[in-house]
Amino acid sequence: MRSVRLCSRSACGRPAVATLTYVYGDSTAVLGPLATLAEPHSYDLCAEHAARLTAPRGWEVVRLLPEFEPLAPSHDDLLALADAVREAGRPPEPAPAAEPVVAAGERRRGHLRVVHGEGDA
């Protein structure tokens, strides 16, 4: 199931719809669709912050999409959520009781065992 990533801007709690990456060598900011995985040197932005993005003087902004809209949950996301809810609601299965292992020549009495020595019969 896809988790909801939030906008990287401080104090913004809206879901991210775009990913901002800087190409420092070319003085370019690239704003594209939301990346599949969060990367350490990229920034996720909500629709509002993606629309208002400006770059420093002398930098170019490359927008790979004209508008960014929030993604609706996919059919797979809804099925995964339903499966997770069903699994959480199931009572846990009791663990099978382990049979004690008794070596040859030993007898068990409750939690104690009798070990015969060489002289015992």
Side-chain angles (χ1 to χ4, degrees):
M1 184 168 83
R2 183 176 48 231
S3 63
V4 176
R5 294 197 331 241
L6 300 178
C7 183
S8 296
R9 297 289 303 260
S10 60
C12 181
R14 291 183 291 265
V17 297
T19 298
L20 171 65
T21 307
Y22 292 104
V23 182
Y24 293 99
D26 296 335
S27 299
T28 304
V30 179
L31 187 63
L34 187 62
T36 306
L37 299 172
E39 296 290 332
H41 299 291
S42 62
Y43 304 91
D44 295 335
L45 299 177
C46 65
E48 181 180 338
H49 286 121
R52 295 188 316 168
L53 177 73
T54 60
R57 184 172 289 151
W59 281 59
E60 180 182 357
V61 176
V62 175
R63 295 177 188 272
L64 300 179
L65 292 175
E67 292 184 24
F68 299 96
E69 295 183 17
L71 299 174
S74 72
H75 183 68
D76 291 338
D77 291 341
L78 295 175
L79 287 177
L81 180 60
D83 290 341
V85 169
R86 268 189 234 108
E87 186 66 30
R90 277 193 196 129
E93 293 182 19
E99 291 293 321
V101 178
V102 179
E106 294 182 359
R107 290 183 305 200
R108 293 204 47 100
R109 292 189 182 161
H111 65 282
L112 301 174
R113 66 180 168 188
V114 178
V115 180
H116 296 285
E118 291 180 23
D120 297 335

